[in-house]
Amino acid sequence: MHIMEGFLPVEHAVGWTLASAPFVVWSVRAVRARLDEYPEQRMLLGVAAAFALVLSALKLPSVTGSCSHPTGIGLGALLFGPAAMVLVGLVVLVFQALLLAHGGLTTLGANVFSMAIVGSFVAAGVFRASRTFRLSLATSVFLAACLGDLATYVTTSVQLAWAFPDPAGGFVASMAKFAGIFALTQIPLAITEGLLTVLVVNALIRFNADEMKHLPLFLTRGARA
Amino acid sequence: MLIEQSAYANRWRAVSPAAKGGFALGGLLAAFVANTPTAAAGIALVVVATTLLGARVSPWLYLRVAAPATAFLAVSSLSLMFSISLDASGGPQWQFAPDAVSRIATVASRSLASLAALLFLVLTTPLRDLIVLLRQLRVPEVILDLMVLCYRMLFVLSEAMHDMLTAQAARLGHASARRSLHSLGLLAANLVVQVWQRAQALATAALARNGCGSLRFLSPAFAHARRDTLIAAAASLALIALAGSLDR
């Protein structure tokens, strides 16, 4: 769920852009350093961005019958790590704005913050924590993708509530309204995306164990095939 | 992709992207300068008319592209319309927000004006030209590389995805919601494998041609770029002035 073009007041649009900027700069540096070491990953990240975009065109069967699509950010954060995913997420959001009129340029900062930054850090963090608590790989992947998605949705609701506080109930009431109205599509979506990501990772480990060995997060705890 | 169709087929396809980007920027600024809903709606009208009459974008296509964003606007306006407060017993109480109409009018008109400016840019300018514009604006090379690769692979991967969906559907892979989820999982996993293989092939191809740095392409030349940019700058200033004057 992205905030549409022009929806946020100017001070919020600028504020979220400034909040996202340091993460983007950090990610650009991290990716540059990674490409210096492994030049062949230039292509991989580019193709991964295209993959996330194509994935977002998939229609998932959803309980509420609304059109919901996976973000692929959880999967990407597990495969490439949050440092690269901030940049990949930025490119995906720019493409969604320019090719699909989904999201926008003035709200790019806010959308990058909720999806690429919060989404990928939460997904990677939850995965690490789950593995530390010795949860099974499937459970960890499910929790990471599902909570990453939910964190994106909660952050977007916070952004909207902050920009448009309720005249009577203030921020909290407004948050309840926005979170409630979008929960209808976003909660089933997060669960579906969690399940889908588990299926993807299972299939990858079965058919592509070799490639999985070189991935940052799976390296640390060693995925069992 | 509807936006791509229009970006390549509109009347202003050959106009310099700097000019079109400048006018879109003017539209965005004007949308935020406009203080009243009337002013913002006026800006939206002018920008939409420029897109439809000037660039000859089909109105039907325009509506279809704008539909998802307007649906978001409708849903969000719904939440602005009501206000929750706690009544004497501590339970939540729903009521019409006192300033709902003026608030929704302000937000909706500003959003529509900004959306019109974004649509003007994307419906008249192919992404390839926008990347050239971003390069002129000194966006870091790493980001441009990712964009170029992403754009080139987008259509390859979406064709692969479409083929897989057809193959799965032909084998009843999407007969029930449960099967559908399983099939989509397999599809995404297959696609991830392809991501690796295709990236590897691209890297090998680049290495074979001594390519080990960023990707460079010839920039297309645009006739009358300076004249068009000046016209666009004047039009942008006029838009902003219009937004300011409609306020009073």
Side-chain angles (χ1 to χ4, degrees):
Chain A
M1 154 179 140
H2 308 324
I3 304 176
M4 80 173 282
E5 182 71 275
F7 194 73
L8 290 179
V10 67
E11 53 273 27
H12 285 261
V14 173
W16 287 112
T17 306
L18 290 180
S20 301
F23 290 93
V24 173
V25 171
W26 167 73
S27 177
V28 166
R29 289 206 178 144
V31 169
R32 235 185 234 150
R34 196 154 142 189
L35 292 186
D36 282 344
E37 202 175 341
Y38 308 102
E40 70 279 2
Q41 287 202 354
R42 184 185 303 274
M43 306 295 181
L44 187 57
L45 288 179
V47 184
F51 169 71
L53 259 177
V54 168
L55 206 62
S56 74
L58 266 184
K59 295 277 176 288
L60 288 179
S62 162
V63 188
T64 50
S66 64
C67 71
S68 47
H69 64 78
T71 63
I73 289 294
L75 180 64
L78 297 187
L79 295 181
F80 305 109
M85 260 343 256
V86 173
L87 197 57
V88 171
L90 169 76
V91 170
V92 169
L93 284 166
V94 169
F95 270 65
Q96 283 181 335
L98 296 180
L99 286 179
L100 304 168
H102 188 49
L105 299 177
T106 57
T107 50
L108 186 64
N111 289 330
V112 165
F113 197 89
S114 65
M115 192 180 97
I117 298 173
V118 173
S120 51
F121 272 97
V122 167
V126 166
F127 184 77
R128 280 235 170 114
S130 317
R131 294 303 278 166
T132 318
F133 288 118
R134 306 210 167 267
L135 295 182
S136 73
L137 183 68
T139 318
S140 313
V141 169
F142 173 79
L143 286 176
C146 183
L147 294 179
D149 243 29
L150 280 181
T152 301
Y153 143 70
V154 171
T155 313
T156 310
S157 303
V158 168
Q159 289 170 332
L160 289 172
W162 195 6
F164 303 100
D166 191 278
F171 172 80
V172 179
S174 178
M175 170 82 197
K177 281 191 300 181
F178 278 112
I181 214 162
F182 288 114
L184 221 58
T185 56
Q186 296 299 316
I187 289 176
L189 170 63
I191 295 171
T192 327
E193 172 142 15
L195 292 174
L196 187 69
T197 312
V198 173
L199 292 174
V200 173
V201 170
N202 278 345
L204 274 178
I205 289 175
R206 237 167 78 208
F207 302 123
N208 256 60
D210 266 359
E211 274 85 352
M212 299 296 277
K213 279 186 200 139
H214 306 289
L215 299 175
L217 274 170
F218 286 89
L219 271 181
T220 50
R221 300 290 306 178
R224 281 161 293 115
Chain B
M1 262 185 230
L2 291 170
I3 291 189
E4 282 283 282
Q5 278 175 27
S6 157
Y8 279 98
N10 71 89
R11 191 161 68 130
W12 285 348
R13 160 78 181 81
V15 174
S16 126
K20 290 181 281 193
F23 183 70
L25 182 68
L28 281 178
L29 287 177
F32 281 92
V33 165
N35 265 329
T36 59
T38 331
I43 297 301
L45 218 60
V46 172
V47 179
V48 171
T50 314
T51 317
L52 297 185
L53 303 176
R56 300 256 172 88
V57 173
S58 127
W60 174 234
L61 183 141
Y62 195 93
L63 284 179
R64 279 169 69 195
V65 169
T70 29
F72 173 91
L73 188 62
V75 172
S76 306
S77 301
L78 203 65
S79 100
L80 289 182
M81 196 183 297
F82 298 101
S83 162
I84 316 179
S85 56
L86 298 180
D87 57 15
S89 61
Q93 184 184 14
W94 290 85
Q95 60 190 39
F96 270 104
D99 56 346
V101 175
S102 72
R103 225 173 160 204
I104 292 175
T106 310
V107 174
S109 59
R110 184 184 62 216
S111 302
L112 289 178
S114 318
L115 181 68
L118 175 72
L119 287 184
F120 168 79
L121 180 66
V122 299
L123 288 173
T124 58
T125 321
L127 202 76
R128 195 187 62 133
D129 294 356
L130 288 175
I131 293 177
V132 172
L133 180 64
L134 290 177
R135 178 158 282 145
Q136 286 167 358
L137 294 173
R138 315 246 160 178
V139 168
E141 207 64 47
V142 185
I143 300 183
L144 293 176
D145 274 1
L146 283 190
M147 288 184 75
V148 168
L149 279 168
C150 182
Y151 188 53
R152 293 178 87 84
M153 292 311 293
L154 189 57
F155 301 97
V156 177
L157 287 182
S158 67
E159 195 182 342
M161 184 179 83
H162 183 255
D163 289 349
M164 281 194 259
L165 274 176
T166 311
Q168 288 180 334
R171 291 162 182 76
L172 298 183
H174 296 277
S176 69
R178 202 186 148 83
R179 279 237 57 85
S180 182
L181 191 64
H182 183 77
S183 301
L184 289 177
L186 281 177
L187 185 152
N190 266 322
L191 218 51
V192 173
V193 175
Q194 286 207 21
V195 165
W196 253 271
Q197 290 169 345
R198 287 180 192 273
Q200 199 115 47
L202 280 176
T204 312
L207 266 184
R209 291 160 181 76
N210 280 344
C212 54
S214 68
L215 304 158
R216 290 248 160 208
F217 295 92
L218 282 177
S219 308
F222 293 92
H224 319 299
R226 186 175 297 228
R227 184 200 69 185
D228 290 344
T229 313
L230 278 177
I231 295 175
S236 307
L237 288 178
L239 262 187
I240 297 171
L242 178 71
S245 68
L246 281 176
D247 270 357
R248 277 172 230 122

